[in-house]
């Protein structure tokens, strides 16, 4: 074939020459090397030929293959994220970031939301169906139709955005869930660089739809989404705004909450400036729910809100099932301890867990803690507090506290940390863990429990005589400046059984008891019984006998008396029964530990017998011995008071300790800053009485753990014995030989009534056989059963020779004129003076007098 000619037009130009190429370098290069490729006739001939059709098909196949392998590569690249959407991983990721504290019966005490954002998890069956419908209506109305992505939804979102009517985005609920869980840090990138993130979002959304059913996806979305402020998850929103669980939300409440996640900062109900927008959105949500057939049009109209109001007090805000005039009420902004029951108790538990597991781990949330507290006992304590506060208000004291311990286990079952958790200044401070001087409430632990223990030589029991006398010389250790003294309200009473001394809380016999034991031994026994914070620095002095100089913690004081109630055996103080970490693993469980027998069961029984004896304390309080606190109807209790004073003589602390075979309680009142007051003994006694009555009646008796008026079991070996005609109970190791008393003949002047001396005339002497011992502290002679009209004092030269007529009984005017060999009946000479023991004692700082 010859060379193809160009057709010449009338203007002299060819057809091809009129096809002008753009001034692009690559086209010029292509035209130079393949001049016919860009000619229109050639292009038309190529594309409409078999060869052109084959080229199109081949190009399409290659393009599709490239796209397929590109998508496959992207899918394989992002496959590393698929492991994170397994049911286990998703559950761990969308986890409860609150710590939940429960009582021993699994009653929720507190959801600790920390100080930052928090999430409260709700299972699928714990979320109202209204909430599910509402969130689908307002966020993804095609949710039940698509498989993770919605083309129609995306187109609709674009159209509504263009027309200015946008109320929802183009992403499905599933995509939003993926974005929140995996892509939160990248979600802000919406430019070209955000395309990989969008691809990941689509891939993972499809995969989530493959793994989970629709209801699971909604549940995860509702648990992950923000609901304003610090609150994440539908349960946190329901609890914060309405004080109820997500399952109990009404239609109006559900629609309002579902309207928040689209813009949680703007639609936060506490952001009152935008409440109008939240109200509009809630109404619109109801309209869409009706449009989709979830609810009727009538229900939608009836549940539209017109106004958002706030309750004045959180506990007073309970929404009705139906709106009243379109007004919905929400609770005030929640504090950290909103809804906390026993707040002092749970905060102490949190501190213990932070010490054990670390602050960061605990505050990350997700822990489940089962505590020892019994909500029934706690409610009894709080009811008792109400009555006690009435009496407290009549005094100049401003604070009161109480701790109660289960005797068998050492578990804390109730705590009153202050007069009220909301009290200004000090209300949130837990007084049960403060160091407070115990006053006379310590005597049975420091003084008499050690004294009643078996020892070589003289032993002691409730029936033993420990003389009440002036011991300032021994107590003050040479300090005669007048700044030191030991006294009681009562006058010196002389020979007195320990039963009466302890029951009436006399100070001088208590100090003697500590001197016999040694202060270090008294401190050791007290600490090992449970008061571990007592005298932790190791310093000792005689004022410890009357509760001055070292402090106890109320909760430890209760457990120390629980040790007496369990027969002298110590059990560690316990607040926690079980701890489960955020992964669901049990990391701590309470198991009973072997008891440490600190004192013999007989010793513990003797102490309890004294403190439960109404007749023994009658000399102190008279008819009050059967009044509230001292006597609890239907309950055997051992009780002891304690009072301390300031340096100016004002009262500072009032205590009342009360324990039974099953419960031990220590109650305290005073001023939070330790300043003086006029006494609050009635208030603290009322608190202990009402609580002990209720906790036995409502908890221990119904459970069969206590029977009416049940006292402690009497240990074997306890027996009755008399000292000088005083019959009482004694431990098995005591007999007449180790009481310290022996029968001796004692001569008295029958005319003066005094003990005979070397100057007493023989004709004036009368002899009696009396029990006698030497006081181990003062060295004075102690005689029992001295006949009426006679006294311990000896005759002296001024009186010993006087007879009834005033005539010298033997004819001699004075001792110097008496013959040296005159016959005088033998006089019982007193034994040598015994130096008071000093073990564990030592110097004694100036101590204000402490009464009972």
């Amino acid at each position: 074939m010859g060379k193809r000619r160009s057709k010449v037009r009338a203007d002299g130009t060819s057809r091809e020459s009129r096809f002008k190429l753009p001034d692009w370098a690559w086209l010029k290069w292509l035209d130079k090397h393949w001049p016919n490729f860009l000619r229109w006739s050639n292009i038309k001939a190529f594309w409409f030929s078999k060869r052109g059709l084959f080229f199109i098909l081949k190009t399409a196949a290659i393009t599709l293959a490239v796209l397929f392998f590109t998508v496959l590569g992207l899918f394989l690249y992002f496959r590393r994220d698929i492991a994170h959407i397994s049911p286990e991983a998703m559950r761990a990721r969308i986890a409860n970031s609150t710590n939940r504290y429960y009582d021993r019966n699994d009653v929720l005490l507190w959801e600790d939301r920390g100080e930052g954002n928090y999430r409260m998890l709700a299972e699928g069956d714990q979320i109202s169906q209204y909430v599910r419908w509402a969130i689908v209506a307002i966020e993804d109305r095609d949710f039940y139709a698509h498989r993770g992505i919605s083309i129609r939804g995306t187109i609709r979102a674009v159209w509504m955005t263009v027309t200015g009517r946008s109320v929802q985005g183009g992403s499905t609920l599933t995509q939003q869930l993926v974005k929140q869980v995996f892509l939160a840090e990248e979600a802000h990138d919406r430019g070209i660089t955000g395309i990989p993130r969008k691809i990941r979002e689509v891939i993972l959304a499809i995969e989530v739809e493959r793994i989970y059913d629709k209801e699971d996806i909604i549940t995860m979305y509702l648990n992950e989404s923000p609901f304003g402020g610090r609150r994440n998850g539908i349960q946190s929103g329901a609890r914060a705004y309405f004080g109820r669980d997500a399952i109990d939300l009404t239609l109006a409440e559900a629609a309002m909450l579902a309207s928040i996640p689209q813009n949680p900062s703007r639609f936060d109900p506490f952001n009152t400036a935008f409440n109008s927008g939240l109200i509009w959105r809630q109404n619109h949500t109801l309209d869409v729910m009706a449009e989709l057939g979830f609810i009727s049009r009538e229900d939608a109209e009836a549940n539209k809100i017109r106004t958002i109001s706030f309750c004045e007090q959180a506990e007073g805000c309970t929404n009705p099932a139906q709106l009243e005039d379109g007004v919905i009420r929400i609770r005030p902004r929640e504090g950290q301890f909103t809804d906390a029951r026993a707040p002092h108790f749970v905060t102490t538990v949190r501190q213990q867990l932070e010490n054990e597991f670390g602050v960061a781990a605990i505050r990350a949330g997700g822990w489940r803690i089962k505590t020892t507290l019994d909500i029934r006992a706690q409610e009894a304590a709080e009811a008792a507090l109400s009555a006690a506060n009435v009496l407290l208000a009549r005094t100049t004291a401003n604070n009161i506290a109480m701790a109660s311990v289960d005797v068998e286990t050492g578990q804390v079952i109730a705590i009153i940390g202050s007069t009220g958790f909301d009290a200004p200044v000090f209300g949130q401070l837990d007084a049960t863990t403060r160091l407070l001087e115990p006053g006379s409430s310590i005597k049975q632990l420091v003084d008499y429990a050690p004294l009643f223990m078996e020892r070589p030589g003289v032993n002691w029991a409730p029936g033993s005589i420990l003389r009440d006398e002036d011991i300032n010389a021994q107590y003050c250790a040479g300090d005669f400046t007048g700044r030191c003294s030991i006294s009681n309200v009562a006058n010196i009473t002389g020979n007195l059984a320990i039963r009466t001394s302890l029951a009436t809380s006399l100070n001088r016999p208590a100090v003697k008891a500590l001197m016999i034991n040694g202060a270090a031994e008294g401190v050791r026994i007290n600490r090992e019984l449970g008061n571990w914070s007592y005298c932790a620095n190791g310093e000792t002095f005689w004022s410890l006998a009357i509760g001055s100089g070292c402090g106890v913690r109320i909760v430890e004081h209760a457990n120390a008396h629980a040790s007496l109630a369990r027969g002298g055996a110590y059990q560690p103080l316990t607040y926690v029964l079980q701890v489960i970490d955020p992964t669901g693993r049990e990391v701590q469980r309470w198991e009973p530990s072997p008891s440490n027998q600190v004192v013999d069961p007989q010793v513990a029984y003797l102490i309890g017998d004294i403190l439960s004896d109404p007749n023994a304390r009658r000399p102190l309080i008279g008819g009050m011995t059967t009044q509230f606190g001292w006597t609890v109807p239907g309950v055997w209790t051992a009780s002891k008071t304690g009072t301390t004073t300031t340096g100016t003589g004002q009262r500072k602390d009032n205590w009342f300790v009360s324990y039974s075979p099953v419960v031990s309680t220590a109650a305290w009142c005073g001023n939070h800053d330790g300043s003086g007051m006029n006494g609050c003994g009635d208030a603290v006694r009322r608190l202990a009485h009402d609580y002990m009555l209720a906790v036995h009646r409502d908890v221990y008796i119904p459970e069969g753990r206590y029977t009416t008026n049940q006292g402690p079991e009497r240990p074997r070996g306890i027996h009755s014995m008399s000292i000088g005609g005083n019959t009482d109970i004694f431990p098995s190791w005591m007999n007449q030989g180790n009481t310290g008393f022996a029968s001796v003949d004692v001569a008295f002047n029958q005319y003066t009534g005094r003990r005979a001396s070397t100057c007493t005339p023989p004709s004036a002497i009368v002899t009696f056989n009396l029990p006698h011992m030497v006081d181990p502290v003062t060295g004075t002679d102690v005689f029992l059963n001295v006949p009426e009209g006679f006294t311990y004092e000896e005759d002296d030269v001024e009186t010993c020779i006087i007879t009834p007529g005033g005539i010298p009984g033997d004819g001699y005017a004075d001792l110097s004129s008496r013959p040296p060999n005159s016959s005088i009946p033998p006089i019982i000479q007193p034994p040598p003076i015994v130096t008071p023991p000093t073990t564990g004692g030592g110097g004694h700082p100036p101590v204000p007098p402490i009464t009972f």
Side-chain angles (χ1 to χ4, degrees):
M1 295 179 63
K3 186 176 181 180
R4 192 174 182 177
R5 296 178 177 268
S6 298
K7 186 178 289 186
V8 180
R9 291 182 177 275
D11 58 3
T13 62
S14 68
R15 184 176 181 180
E16 285 78 2
S17 66
R18 295 193 61 185
F19 185 77
K20 299 294 183 180
L21 294 176
D23 192 18
W24 295 341
W26 65 275
L27 283 177
K28 291 182 178 181
W29 180 88
L30 193 64
D31 186 55
K32 179 178 178 182
H33 292 84
W34 288 279
N36 294 326
F37 183 79
L38 294 179
R39 298 295 183 265
W40 173 249
S41 58
N42 292 341
I43 293 175
K44 183 171 66 173
F46 175 79
W47 289 111
F48 291 98
S49 67
K50 291 183 178 180
R51 189 161 60 99
L53 179 62
F54 178 75
F55 177 80
I56 292 172
L57 294 175
K58 181 171 66 174
T59 302
I62 293 174
T63 301
L64 290 175
V66 170
L67 288 174
F68 172 80
F69 284 108
T70 299
V71 171
L72 178 63
L74 288 171
F75 182 84
L76 293 176
Y77 176 74
F78 293 127
R79 188 176 177 80
R80 68 184 190 276
D81 292 321
I82 294 178
H84 299 301
I85 59 175
S86 67
E88 295 78 12
M90 287 286 281
R91 184 176 180 84
R93 171 60 181 81
I94 307 177
N96 189 350
S97 65
T98 65
N99 294 324
R100 292 186 174 181
Y101 295 79
Y102 296 85
D103 89 325
R104 65 193 308 111
N105 303 308
D106 294 317
V107 175
L108 182 64
L109 298 176
W110 185 37
E111 290 173 324
D112 180 10
R113 303 161 190 172
E115 298 176 355
N117 293 339
Y118 65 88
R119 178 184 296 106
M120 298 168 69
L121 187 67
E123 300 294 343
D125 58 359
Q126 298 171 344
I127 300 175
S128 166
Q129 185 63 49
Y130 287 140
V131 177
R132 295 175 176 277
W133 289 338
I135 204 70
V136 168
I138 196 64
E139 292 290 345
D140 185 3
R141 65 178 65 189
D142 297 327
F143 177 73
Y144 290 107
H146 64 66
R147 301 302 301 171
I149 57 175
S150 173
I151 302 301
R152 188 175 68 172
T154 302
I155 294 173
R156 182 176 61 247
V158 171
W159 170 252
M160 297 185 76
T161 299
V162 170
T163 60
R165 296 182 293 164
S166 177
V167 294
Q168 57 179 247
S171 296
T172 65
L173 276 179
T174 313
Q175 287 177 272
Q176 293 179 52
L177 173 63
V178 168
K179 188 186 306 180
Q180 290 170 350
V181 174
F182 301 110
L183 309 174
E185 295 182 358
E186 307 169 31
H188 65 280
D189 192 351
R190 299 180 180 273
I192 296 298
T193 56
I195 292 177
R197 188 265 302 166
K198 195 65 177 179
I199 295 173
R200 289 177 65 194
E201 179 184 304
V202 170
I203 292 172
L204 291 177
I206 294 172
E207 193 66 13
V208 166
E209 290 271 354
R210 185 182 67 82
I211 295 175
Y212 297 97
D213 64 31
K214 291 290 186 177
E215 297 307 318
D216 287 338
I217 293 172
I218 293 178
T219 298
M220 288 187 290
Y221 178 84
L222 289 171
N223 277 316
E224 178 67 16
S225 296
F227 283 86
R230 300 169 51 219
R231 297 155 289 278
N232 294 286
I234 186 64
Q235 177 74 355
S236 67
R239 298 281 296 180
Y241 302 128
F242 304 113
R244 65 184 70 198
D245 294 325
I247 189 64
D248 298 321
L249 290 169
T250 66
L251 175 56
E253 294 164 352
M256 191 190 88
L257 288 177
S259 303
I260 296 174
Q262 194 263 350
N263 194 334
S265 61
R266 185 184 184 92
F267 295 137
D268 181 346
F270 295 130
N271 186 1
T272 56
F274 294 97
N275 276 178
S276 59
L278 177 60
I279 291 171
W280 179 90
R281 190 167 172 81
Q282 187 263 5
N283 292 176
H284 180 74
T285 299
L286 290 169
D287 287 338
V288 179
M289 291 175 72
E291 179 184 334
L292 296 177
F294 292 145
I295 61 174
S296 67
R297 175 58 60 186
E298 293 74 18
D299 285 341
E301 293 300 323
N303 285 276
K304 289 182 178 180
I305 63 177
R306 304 289 183 264
T307 305
I308 297 175
S309 68
F310 295 85
C311 301
E312 294 182 1
Q313 295 182 348
E315 61 272 15
C317 186
T318 54
N319 270 50
Q322 299 294 327
L323 295 182
E324 295 180 0
D325 300 324
V327 178
I328 194 167
R329 296 186 299 157
I330 65 174
R331 307 174 78 190
R333 191 183 302 270
E334 84 279 8
Q336 188 175 6
F337 298 101
T338 298
D339 296 330
R341 306 175 75 175
H344 292 106
F345 176 85
V346 292
T347 51
T348 296
V349 172
R350 181 178 66 175
Q351 182 63 55
Q352 290 181 356
L353 295 177
E354 289 179 352
N355 292 341
E356 184 169 355
F357 296 103
V359 173
I362 294 299
R363 295 190 179 178
W367 298 73
R368 187 186 193 279
I369 303 98
K370 185 174 184 177
T371 71
T372 61
L373 187 129
D374 191 319
I375 194 60
R376 298 167 298 173
Q378 182 66 25
E379 289 173 347
E382 290 170 358
L385 175 65
S386 297
N389 275 338
V390 173
L391 298 178
L392 188 71
R394 300 173 186 173
T395 73
T396 56
N398 62 16
N399 205 12
I400 194 168
M402 187 200 82
S404 185
V405 173
D406 178 78
V407 165
E408 181 182 359
T409 61
Q411 297 170 0
V412 180
I413 60 172
I415 286 289
I416 296 294
S418 69
T419 187
F421 195 75
D422 295 329
V425 181
F426 62 86
Q428 295 188 14
L429 301 178
D430 186 358
T432 67
T433 59
R434 287 177 53 199
L435 284 174
L436 302 162
E437 287 189 335
S440 293
S441 71
I442 204 73
K443 289 176 178 175
Q444 57 273 18
L445 304 172
V446 168
D447 305 329
Y448 293 107
L451 184 68
F452 290 170
M453 294 170 67
E454 185 176 9
R455 65 185 68 223
V458 176
N459 280 254
W460 305 84
S464 299
I465 304 301
L466 197 54
R467 184 171 173 78
D468 180 22
E469 59 183 323
D470 185 356
I471 59 169
N472 280 348
Q474 292 79 16
Y475 180 74
C476 298
D479 181 0
F480 299 108
T481 63
R483 294 179 298 132
C484 171
S485 65
I486 176 68
S487 62
N488 277 101
V489 172
N491 295 324
I492 290 177
T493 53
N495 293 343
L496 207 61
I498 289 177
R499 175 177 294 275
T500 303
S501 296
L502 175 55
T504 59
S505 202
L506 295 179
N507 285 343
R508 287 175 290 261
V511 174
K512 278 189 174 183
L514 187 64
M515 288 180 169
I516 294 170
N517 302 323
E521 177 68 0
V523 169
R524 182 186 72 82
I525 294 298
N526 180 38
R527 286 170 57 85
E528 291 184 6
L529 285 171
N531 273 320
W532 290 107
S533 301
Y534 187 75
C535 292
N537 60 6
E539 187 178 4
T540 58
F541 25 80
W542 297 134
S543 63
L544 298 178
I546 53 177
S548 177
C550 283
V552 298
R553 304 187 195 279
I554 298 172
V555 67
E556 291 182 347
H557 209 35
N559 196 39
H561 287 86
S563 295
L564 293 179
R566 65 177 74 97
Y570 168 76
Q571 279 284 351
L573 196 64
T574 306
Y575 283 78
V576 175
L577 293 177
Q578 183 190 48
V579 177
I580 297 176
D581 72 8
T583 68
R585 183 171 60 99
E586 183 181 76
V587 295
Q588 186 179 108
R589 173 181 286 273
W590 178 84
E591 297 290 346
S593 57
S595 299
N596 177 30
Q597 196 69 43
V598 181
V599 297
D600 191 280
Q602 296 180 73
V603 171
Y605 183 85
L606 297 176
I607 296 292
D609 193 70
I610 295 173
L611 298 182
S612 64
D613 185 352
N615 293 321
R617 56 178 173 258
R618 195 176 299 277
L620 173 67
I621 60 176
M624 285 180 60
T625 190
T626 57
Q627 289 187 2
F628 66 88
W630 297 112
T631 300
V632 180
V635 184
W636 179 98
T637 57
S639 305
K640 185 71 181 71
T641 56
T643 304
T644 70
T645 58
T646 66
T648 59
Q650 287 183 294
R651 296 194 177 191
K652 181 166 68 73
D653 305 281
N654 272 122
W655 290 82
F656 195 85
V657 177
S658 180
Y659 66 88
S660 75
V662 293
V663 179
S664 177
T665 300
W668 164 92
C669 63
N671 282 319
H672 75 279
D673 57 0
S675 58
M677 47 118 184
N678 59 1
C680 52
D682 285 351
V684 77
R685 187 159 52 95
R686 172 58 68 188
L687 175 61
H689 174 274
D690 288 4
Y691 169 75
M692 290 292 280
L693 177 63
V695 77
H696 286 83
R697 180 192 62 207
D698 300 338
V699 179
Y700 283 86
I701 290 178
E703 291 185 351
R705 300 170 61 190
Y706 185 78
T707 58
T708 303
N709 292 319
Q710 173 190 340
E713 183 178 351
R714 180 165 173 160
R716 296 184 61 181
I718 296 288
H719 64 284
S720 296
M721 191 173 68
S722 296
I723 296 179
N726 177 44
T727 301
D728 211 319
I729 57 174
F730 292 80
S732 59
W733 54 84
M734 282 197 71
N735 52 57
Q736 292 292 348
N738 61 9
T739 63
F741 281 92
S743 295
V744 296
D745 289 330
V746 184
F748 288 86
N749 186 327
Q750 61 179 318
Y751 301 116
T752 65
R754 300 188 178 203
R755 277 191 297 143
S757 67
T758 55
C759 72
T760 305
S763 61
I765 290 176
V766 61
T767 302
F768 302 100
N769 187 263
L770 304 176
H772 166 266
M773 75 172 297
V774 177
D775 188 273
V777 174
T778 63
T780 57
D781 290 303
V782 178
F783 296 98
L784 301 182
N785 301 336
V786 176
E788 187 177 354
F790 291 85
T791 180
Y792 298 110
E793 297 181 18
E794 283 190 320
D795 274 343
D796 56 30
V797 295
E798 299 295 331
T799 61
C800 68
I801 61 174
I802 302 301
T803 60
I807 303 171
D810 58 2
Y812 297 96
D814 55 47
L815 291 178
S816 62
S817 62
R818 177 182 294 166
N821 295 323
S822 61
S823 176
I824 302 176
I827 305 297
I828 301 301
Q829 300 298 324
I833 299 296
V834 179
T835 304
T838 57
T839 303
H844 162 62
V847 178
I850 298 185
T851 57
F852 46 85

